[in-house]
Amino acid sequence: MTPSPVMASPSIRINLSCQELVLEKSGKILLQCPVSSGKAGTGHEEGSGKTPTGHFRICKKIGDGEPEDTIFISRLPAGRYPTAIPKSMDEHSDFILTRILWLDGLEPHNANTRSRYIYIHGTNDTKLLGTPASHGCIRLSPRDMMALFALADEGMDVFIQC
């Protein structure tokens, strides 16, 4: 990742060119992990499957207290992976697991991020981490998502760059 200005408040920086997330505070890295962003690339269009770029904030943390393997459907816990896989899906489906950090865009070009339901969330498809493979969200391993969720706060700045 390119060096960033030292920020006193914690922030999350996601570099799409290297598919990496870094959470830092006062120049100290607290978490660094691989991610998977949109396989359709970057963009801000509704229904595009693309990952938006720019400045965001975490508008809502979802899933506190749920087991690490919880499947979320419409942001609600729906059971545990893989035993609670809905009949319309299989173990290879793109699940939202573990926890959700819902993003809200703070710039005109990404202002629709919240209504596009763009999250940072855990995934069952960990073998694709490090490559663009999502439907626009930022995916992490369940273990990394648990660590990030514990360190993140609602209102925290998130920066997604190419």
Side-chain angles (χ1 to χ4, degrees), residues 106-134:
L106 299 178
E107 300 172 292
H109 69 273
N110 65 22
N112 67 346
T113 299
R114 185 174 186 171
S115 65
R116 287 182 61 206
Y117 302 100
I118 300 294
Y119 313 134
I120 301 172
H121 66 81
T123 183
N124 55 304
D125 205 354
T126 57
K127 68 185 177 300
L128 293 177
L129 292 173
T131 63
S134 79

PDB file of all heavy atoms in Angstrom, residues 106-134:
ATOM      1  N   LEU A 106     -19.217   9.160   1.145  1.00  0.00           N
ATOM      2  CA  LEU A 106     -19.160  10.549   1.603  1.00  0.00           C
ATOM      3  C   LEU A 106     -18.840  11.536   0.485  1.00  0.00           C
ATOM      4  O   LEU A 106     -18.666  12.722   0.753  1.00  0.00           O
ATOM      5  CB  LEU A 106     -18.121  10.679   2.725  1.00  0.00           C
ATOM      6  CG  LEU A 106     -18.402   9.844   3.971  1.00  0.00           C
ATOM      7  CD1 LEU A 106     -17.283  10.020   4.994  1.00  0.00           C
ATOM      8  CD2 LEU A 106     -19.747  10.180   4.584  1.00  0.00           C
ATOM      9  N   GLU A 107     -18.763  11.043  -0.744  1.00  0.00           N
ATOM     10  CA  GLU A 107     -18.456  11.900  -1.883  1.00  0.00           C
ATOM     11  C   GLU A 107     -19.581  11.789  -2.906  1.00  0.00           C
ATOM     12  O   GLU A 107     -20.294  10.778  -2.931  1.00  0.00           O
ATOM     13  CB  GLU A 107     -17.124  11.472  -2.511  1.00  0.00           C
ATOM     14  CG  GLU A 107     -15.962  11.573  -1.529  1.00  0.00           C
ATOM     15  CD  GLU A 107     -14.688  10.976  -2.080  1.00  0.00           C
ATOM     16  OE1 GLU A 107     -14.627   9.743  -2.262  1.00  0.00           O
ATOM     17  OE2 GLU A 107     -13.759  11.752  -2.342  1.00  0.00           O
ATOM     18  N   PRO A 108     -19.767  12.816  -3.743  1.00  0.00           N
ATOM     19  CA  PRO A 108     -20.871  12.766  -4.713  1.00  0.00           C
ATOM     20  C   PRO A 108     -20.862  11.512  -5.591  1.00  0.00           C
ATOM     21  O   PRO A 108     -21.918  10.924  -5.838  1.00  0.00           O
ATOM     22  CB  PRO A 108     -20.666  14.036  -5.549  1.00  0.00           C
ATOM     23  CG  PRO A 108     -19.965  14.983  -4.629  1.00  0.00           C
ATOM     24  CD  PRO A 108     -19.061  14.120  -3.786  1.00  0.00           C
ATOM     25  N   HIS A 109     -19.689  11.064  -6.031  1.00  0.00           N
ATOM     26  CA  HIS A 109     -19.641   9.907  -6.930  1.00  0.00           C
ATOM     27  C   HIS A 109     -19.955   8.583  -6.234  1.00  0.00           C
ATOM     28  O   HIS A 109     -20.303   7.611  -6.897  1.00  0.00           O
ATOM     29  CB  HIS A 109     -18.290   9.830  -7.656  1.00  0.00           C
ATOM     30  CG  HIS A 109     -17.145   9.492  -6.756  1.00  0.00           C
ATOM     31  ND1 HIS A 109     -16.444  10.454  -6.056  1.00  0.00           N
ATOM     32  CD2 HIS A 109     -16.566   8.314  -6.435  1.00  0.00           C
ATOM     33  CE1 HIS A 109     -15.488   9.879  -5.352  1.00  0.00           C
ATOM     34  NE2 HIS A 109     -15.552   8.580  -5.553  1.00  0.00           N
ATOM     35  N   ASN A 110     -19.842   8.509  -4.900  1.00  0.00           N
ATOM     36  CA  ASN A 110     -20.119   7.243  -4.202  1.00  0.00           C
ATOM     37  C   ASN A 110     -21.266   7.370  -3.200  1.00  0.00           C
ATOM     38  O   ASN A 110     -21.432   6.520  -2.330  1.00  0.00           O
ATOM     39  CB  ASN A 110     -18.857   6.698  -3.532  1.00  0.00           C
ATOM     40  CG  ASN A 110     -18.309   7.577  -2.416  1.00  0.00           C
ATOM     41  OD1 ASN A 110     -19.020   8.389  -1.826  1.00  0.00           O
ATOM     42  ND2 ASN A 110     -17.029   7.418  -2.124  1.00  0.00           N
ATOM     43  N   ALA A 111     -22.067   8.420  -3.340  1.00  0.00           N
ATOM     44  CA  ALA A 111     -23.152   8.687  -2.388  1.00  0.00           C
ATOM     45  C   ALA A 111     -24.210   7.583  -2.355  1.00  0.00           C
ATOM     46  O   ALA A 111     -24.949   7.473  -1.380  1.00  0.00           O
ATOM     47  CB  ALA A 111     -23.804  10.030  -2.699  1.00  0.00           C
ATOM     48  N   ASN A 112     -24.272   6.741  -3.390  1.00  0.00           N
ATOM     49  CA  ASN A 112     -25.268   5.666  -3.429  1.00  0.00           C
ATOM     50  C   ASN A 112     -24.764   4.356  -2.805  1.00  0.00           C
ATOM     51  O   ASN A 112     -25.446   3.337  -2.861  1.00  0.00           O
ATOM     52  CB  ASN A 112     -25.724   5.409  -4.868  1.00  0.00           C
ATOM     53  CG  ASN A 112     -24.617   4.830  -5.751  1.00  0.00           C
ATOM     54  OD1 ASN A 112     -23.444   4.842  -5.392  1.00  0.00           O
ATOM     55  ND2 ASN A 112     -24.988   4.353  -6.919  1.00  0.00           N
ATOM     56  N   THR A 113     -23.603   4.374  -2.197  1.00  0.00           N
ATOM     57  CA  THR A 113     -23.002   3.150  -1.659  1.00  0.00           C
ATOM     58  C   THR A 113     -23.904   2.463  -0.638  1.00  0.00           C
ATOM     59  O   THR A 113     -24.085   1.245  -0.686  1.00  0.00           O
ATOM     60  CB  THR A 113     -21.621   3.453  -1.042  1.00  0.00           C
ATOM     61  OG1 THR A 113     -20.782   3.977  -2.078  1.00  0.00           O
ATOM     62  CG2 THR A 113     -20.988   2.227  -0.444  1.00  0.00           C
ATOM     63  N   ARG A 114     -24.470   3.214   0.261  1.00  0.00           N
ATOM     64  CA  ARG A 114     -25.333   2.603   1.289  1.00  0.00           C
ATOM     65  C   ARG A 114     -26.552   1.954   0.643  1.00  0.00           C
ATOM     66  O   ARG A 114     -26.913   0.828   0.983  1.00  0.00           O
ATOM     67  CB  ARG A 114     -25.762   3.638   2.315  1.00  0.00           C
ATOM     68  CG  ARG A 114     -26.542   3.023   3.454  1.00  0.00           C
ATOM     69  CD  ARG A 114     -26.840   4.027   4.537  1.00  0.00           C
ATOM     70  NE  ARG A 114     -27.467   3.341   5.651  1.00  0.00           N
ATOM     71  CZ  ARG A 114     -27.698   3.876   6.811  1.00  0.00           C
ATOM     72  NH1 ARG A 114     -27.323   5.115   7.060  1.00  0.00           N
ATOM     73  NH2 ARG A 114     -28.280   3.195   7.767  1.00  0.00           N
ATOM     74  N   SER A 115     -27.186   2.634  -0.296  1.00  0.00           N
ATOM     75  CA  SER A 115     -28.378   2.064  -0.947  1.00  0.00           C
ATOM     76  C   SER A 115     -28.027   0.898  -1.872  1.00  0.00           C
ATOM     77  O   SER A 115     -28.903   0.114  -2.234  1.00  0.00           O
ATOM     78  CB  SER A 115     -29.156   3.143  -1.711  1.00  0.00           C
ATOM     79  OG  SER A 115     -28.395   3.647  -2.791  1.00  0.00           O
ATOM     80  N   ARG A 116     -26.754   0.774  -2.247  1.00  0.00           N
ATOM     81  CA  ARG A 116     -26.288  -0.382  -3.027  1.00  0.00           C
ATOM     82  C   ARG A 116     -25.956  -1.571  -2.108  1.00  0.00           C
ATOM     83  O   ARG A 116     -25.615  -2.645  -2.599  1.00  0.00           O
ATOM     84  CB  ARG A 116     -25.030  -0.018  -3.833  1.00  0.00           C
ATOM     85  CG  ARG A 116     -25.285   0.887  -5.019  1.00  0.00           C
ATOM     86  CD  ARG A 116     -24.003   1.165  -5.783  1.00  0.00           C
ATOM     87  NE  ARG A 116     -23.427  -0.080  -6.297  1.00  0.00           N
ATOM     88  CZ  ARG A 116     -22.128  -0.252  -6.546  1.00  0.00           C
ATOM     89  NH1 ARG A 116     -21.266   0.724  -6.346  1.00  0.00           N
ATOM     90  NH2 ARG A 116     -21.699  -1.409  -7.015  1.00  0.00           N
ATOM     91  N   TYR A 117     -26.034  -1.372  -0.809  1.00  0.00           N
ATOM     92  CA  TYR A 117     -25.733  -2.419   0.176  1.00  0.00           C
ATOM     93  C   TYR A 117     -24.307  -2.936   0.006  1.00  0.00           C
ATOM     94  O   TYR A 117     -24.060  -4.138  -0.070  1.00  0.00           O
ATOM     95  CB  TYR A 117     -26.746  -3.562   0.104  1.00  0.00           C
ATOM     96  CG  TYR A 117     -28.156  -3.077   0.318  1.00  0.00           C
ATOM     97  CD1 TYR A 117     -29.007  -2.870  -0.770  1.00  0.00           C
ATOM     98  CD2 TYR A 117     -28.616  -2.766   1.583  1.00  0.00           C
ATOM     99  CE1 TYR A 117     -30.294  -2.387  -0.586  1.00  0.00           C
ATOM    100  CE2 TYR A 117     -29.901  -2.287   1.775  1.00  0.00           C
ATOM    101  CZ  TYR A 117     -30.731  -2.100   0.690  1.00  0.00           C
ATOM    102  OH  TYR A 117     -32.000  -1.624   0.881  1.00  0.00           O
ATOM    103  N   ILE A 118     -23.357  -1.991  -0.025  1.00  0.00           N
ATOM    104  CA  ILE A 118     -21.945  -2.344  -0.104  1.00  0.00           C
ATOM    105  C   ILE A 118     -21.411  -2.468   1.319  1.00  0.00           C
ATOM    106  O   ILE A 118     -21.508  -1.540   2.116  1.00  0.00           O
ATOM    107  CB  ILE A 118     -21.142  -1.291  -0.901  1.00  0.00           C
ATOM    108  CG1 ILE A 118     -21.677  -1.168  -2.329  1.00  0.00           C
ATOM    109  CG2 ILE A 118     -19.648  -1.620  -0.877  1.00  0.00           C
ATOM    110  CD1 ILE A 118     -21.492  -2.404  -3.202  1.00  0.00           C
ATOM    111  N   TYR A 119     -20.851  -3.646   1.610  1.00  0.00           N
ATOM    112  CA  TYR A 119     -20.368  -3.971   2.944  1.00  0.00           C
ATOM    113  C   TYR A 119     -18.910  -4.400   2.899  1.00  0.00           C
ATOM    114  O   TYR A 119     -18.391  -4.813   1.863  1.00  0.00           O
ATOM    115  CB  TYR A 119     -21.118  -5.178   3.535  1.00  0.00           C
ATOM    116  CG  TYR A 119     -22.601  -5.205   3.444  1.00  0.00           C
ATOM    117  CD1 TYR A 119     -23.255  -6.375   3.033  1.00  0.00           C
ATOM    118  CD2 TYR A 119     -23.384  -4.112   3.795  1.00  0.00           C
ATOM    119  CE1 TYR A 119     -24.639  -6.441   2.983  1.00  0.00           C
ATOM    120  CE2 TYR A 119     -24.768  -4.175   3.744  1.00  0.00           C
ATOM    121  CZ  TYR A 119     -25.388  -5.343   3.328  1.00  0.00           C
ATOM    122  OH  TYR A 119     -26.757  -5.402   3.283  1.00  0.00           O
ATOM    123  N   ILE A 120     -18.314  -4.409   4.068  1.00  0.00           N
ATOM    124  CA  ILE A 120     -17.133  -5.219   4.354  1.00  0.00           C
ATOM    125  C   ILE A 120     -17.693  -6.383   5.162  1.00  0.00           C
ATOM    126  O   ILE A 120     -18.385  -6.165   6.165  1.00  0.00           O
ATOM    127  CB  ILE A 120     -16.081  -4.445   5.170  1.00  0.00           C
ATOM    128  CG1 ILE A 120     -15.623  -3.187   4.419  1.00  0.00           C
ATOM    129  CG2 ILE A 120     -14.897  -5.355   5.493  1.00  0.00           C
ATOM    130  CD1 ILE A 120     -14.731  -2.259   5.244  1.00  0.00           C
ATOM    131  N   HIS A 121     -17.453  -7.612   4.712  1.00  0.00           N
ATOM    132  CA  HIS A 121     -18.044  -8.771   5.399  1.00  0.00           C
ATOM    133  C   HIS A 121     -17.169 -10.004   5.245  1.00  0.00           C
ATOM    134  O   HIS A 121     -16.292 -10.066   4.387  1.00  0.00           O
ATOM    135  CB  HIS A 121     -19.465  -9.047   4.884  1.00  0.00           C
ATOM    136  CG  HIS A 121     -19.553  -9.483   3.451  1.00  0.00           C
ATOM    137  ND1 HIS A 121     -19.326 -10.774   3.050  1.00  0.00           N
ATOM    138  CD2 HIS A 121     -19.865  -8.798   2.324  1.00  0.00           C
ATOM    139  CE1 HIS A 121     -19.505 -10.876   1.740  1.00  0.00           C
ATOM    140  NE2 HIS A 121     -19.817  -9.679   1.266  1.00  0.00           N
ATOM    141  N   GLY A 122     -17.448 -10.994   6.076  1.00  0.00           N
ATOM    142  CA  GLY A 122     -16.759 -12.272   5.983  1.00  0.00           C
ATOM    143  C   GLY A 122     -17.284 -13.082   4.811  1.00  0.00           C
ATOM    144  O   GLY A 122     -18.408 -12.873   4.339  1.00  0.00           O
ATOM    145  N   THR A 123     -16.462 -14.030   4.350  1.00  0.00           N
ATOM    146  CA  THR A 123     -16.837 -14.874   3.216  1.00  0.00           C
ATOM    147  C   THR A 123     -16.526 -16.332   3.501  1.00  0.00           C
ATOM    148  O   THR A 123     -15.617 -16.650   4.275  1.00  0.00           O
ATOM    149  CB  THR A 123     -16.088 -14.439   1.929  1.00  0.00           C
ATOM    150  OG1 THR A 123     -16.536 -15.231   0.835  1.00  0.00           O
ATOM    151  CG2 THR A 123     -14.583 -14.599   2.059  1.00  0.00           C
ATOM    152  N   ASN A 124     -17.273 -17.196   2.845  1.00  0.00           N
ATOM    153  CA  ASN A 124     -16.998 -18.629   2.892  1.00  0.00           C
ATOM    154  C   ASN A 124     -15.985 -19.023   1.820  1.00  0.00           C
ATOM    155  O   ASN A 124     -15.403 -20.094   1.874  1.00  0.00           O
ATOM    156  CB  ASN A 124     -18.284 -19.434   2.699  1.00  0.00           C
ATOM    157  CG  ASN A 124     -19.016 -19.064   1.417  1.00  0.00           C
ATOM    158  OD1 ASN A 124     -19.351 -17.891   1.212  1.00  0.00           O
ATOM    159  ND2 ASN A 124     -19.281 -20.019   0.560  1.00  0.00           N
ATOM    160  N   ASP A 125     -15.746 -18.150   0.849  1.00  0.00           N
ATOM    161  CA  ASP A 125     -14.888 -18.455  -0.291  1.00  0.00           C
ATOM    162  C   ASP A 125     -13.498 -17.858  -0.077  1.00  0.00           C
ATOM    163  O   ASP A 125     -13.037 -17.011  -0.842  1.00  0.00           O
ATOM    164  CB  ASP A 125     -15.534 -17.916  -1.569  1.00  0.00           C
ATOM    165  CG  ASP A 125     -15.087 -18.673  -2.799  1.00  0.00           C
ATOM    166  OD1 ASP A 125     -14.202 -19.544  -2.683  1.00  0.00           O
ATOM    167  OD2 ASP A 125     -15.619 -18.385  -3.877  1.00  0.00           O
ATOM    168  N   THR A 126     -12.805 -18.319   0.952  1.00  0.00           N
ATOM    169  CA  THR A 126     -11.526 -17.726   1.335  1.00  0.00           C
ATOM    170  C   THR A 126     -10.416 -17.997   0.326  1.00  0.00           C
ATOM    171  O   THR A 126      -9.436 -17.255   0.284  1.00  0.00           O
ATOM    172  CB  THR A 126     -11.090 -18.216   2.726  1.00  0.00           C
ATOM    173  OG1 THR A 126     -11.021 -19.644   2.713  1.00  0.00           O
ATOM    174  CG2 THR A 126     -12.069 -17.754   3.792  1.00  0.00           C
ATOM    175  N   LYS A 127     -10.552 -19.018  -0.504  1.00  0.00           N
ATOM    176  CA  LYS A 127      -9.491 -19.314  -1.476  1.00  0.00           C
ATOM    177  C   LYS A 127      -9.368 -18.224  -2.534  1.00  0.00           C
ATOM    178  O   LYS A 127      -8.333 -18.101  -3.188  1.00  0.00           O
ATOM    179  CB  LYS A 127      -9.709 -20.682  -2.122  1.00  0.00           C
ATOM    180  CG  LYS A 127     -10.910 -20.787  -3.021  1.00  0.00           C
ATOM    181  CD  LYS A 127     -11.114 -22.218  -3.513  1.00  0.00           C
ATOM    182  CE  LYS A 127     -12.348 -22.371  -4.359  1.00  0.00           C
ATOM    183  NZ  LYS A 127     -13.598 -22.025  -3.703  1.00  0.00           N
ATOM    184  N   LEU A 128     -10.401 -17.380  -2.697  1.00  0.00           N
ATOM    185  CA  LEU A 128     -10.346 -16.299  -3.676  1.00  0.00           C
ATOM    186  C   LEU A 128      -9.872 -14.967  -3.084  1.00  0.00           C
ATOM    187  O   LEU A 128      -9.784 -13.972  -3.804  1.00  0.00           O
ATOM    188  CB  LEU A 128     -11.711 -16.116  -4.345  1.00  0.00           C
ATOM    189  CG  LEU A 128     -12.158 -17.281  -5.233  1.00  0.00           C
ATOM    190  CD1 LEU A 128     -13.557 -17.040  -5.789  1.00  0.00           C
ATOM    191  CD2 LEU A 128     -11.166 -17.505  -6.360  1.00  0.00           C
ATOM    192  N   LEU A 129      -9.574 -14.936  -1.780  1.00  0.00           N
ATOM    193  CA  LEU A 129      -9.056 -13.706  -1.193  1.00  0.00           C
ATOM    194  C   LEU A 129      -7.740 -13.342  -1.866  1.00  0.00           C
ATOM    195  O   LEU A 129      -6.943 -14.220  -2.205  1.00  0.00           O
ATOM    196  CB  LEU A 129      -8.873 -13.863   0.314  1.00  0.00           C
ATOM    197  CG  LEU A 129     -10.170 -14.008   1.102  1.00  0.00           C
ATOM    198  CD1 LEU A 129      -9.875 -14.328   2.558  1.00  0.00           C
ATOM    199  CD2 LEU A 129     -11.025 -12.770   0.978  1.00  0.00           C
ATOM    200  N   GLY A 130      -7.554 -12.059  -2.102  1.00  0.00           N
ATOM    201  CA  GLY A 130      -6.382 -11.600  -2.820  1.00  0.00           C
ATOM    202  C   GLY A 130      -6.653 -11.389  -4.306  1.00  0.00           C
ATOM    203  O   GLY A 130      -5.790 -10.913  -5.029  1.00  0.00           O
ATOM    204  N   THR A 131      -7.877 -11.745  -4.738  1.00  0.00           N
ATOM    205  CA  THR A 131      -8.279 -11.543  -6.130  1.00  0.00           C
ATOM    206  C   THR A 131      -9.667 -10.919  -6.164  1.00  0.00           C
ATOM    207  O   THR A 131     -10.493 -11.169  -5.279  1.00  0.00           O
ATOM    208  CB  THR A 131      -8.324 -12.862  -6.917  1.00  0.00           C
ATOM    209  OG1 THR A 131      -9.322 -13.720  -6.337  1.00  0.00           O
ATOM    210  CG2 THR A 131      -6.987 -13.578  -6.900  1.00  0.00           C
ATOM    211  N   PRO A 132      -9.965 -10.126  -7.182  1.00  0.00           N
ATOM    212  CA  PRO A 132     -11.322  -9.584  -7.322  1.00  0.00           C
ATOM    213  C   PRO A 132     -12.308 -10.725  -7.618  1.00  0.00           C
ATOM    214  O   PRO A 132     -12.150 -11.439  -8.600  1.00  0.00           O
ATOM    215  CB  PRO A 132     -11.211  -8.627  -8.512  1.00  0.00           C
ATOM    216  CG  PRO A 132      -9.754  -8.311  -8.634  1.00  0.00           C
ATOM    217  CD  PRO A 132      -9.048  -9.558  -8.178  1.00  0.00           C
ATOM    218  N   ALA A 133     -13.299 -10.918  -6.757  1.00  0.00           N
ATOM    219  CA  ALA A 133     -14.226 -12.036  -6.937  1.00  0.00           C
ATOM    220  C   ALA A 133     -15.621 -11.774  -6.368  1.00  0.00           C
ATOM    221  O   ALA A 133     -16.495 -12.617  -6.496  1.00  0.00           O
ATOM    222  CB  ALA A 133     -13.646 -13.300  -6.294  1.00  0.00           C
ATOM    223  N   SER A 134     -15.842 -10.618  -5.743  1.00  0.00           N
ATOM    224  CA  SER A 134     -17.124 -10.372  -5.083  1.00  0.00           C
ATOM    225  C   SER A 134     -18.125  -9.732  -6.048  1.00  0.00           C
ATOM    226  O   SER A 134     -17.825  -9.489  -7.212  1.00  0.00           O
ATOM    227  CB  SER A 134     -16.930  -9.470  -3.856  1.00  0.00           C
ATOM    228  OG  SER A 134     -16.800  -8.113  -4.242  1.00  0.00           O
TER     229      SER A 134
END
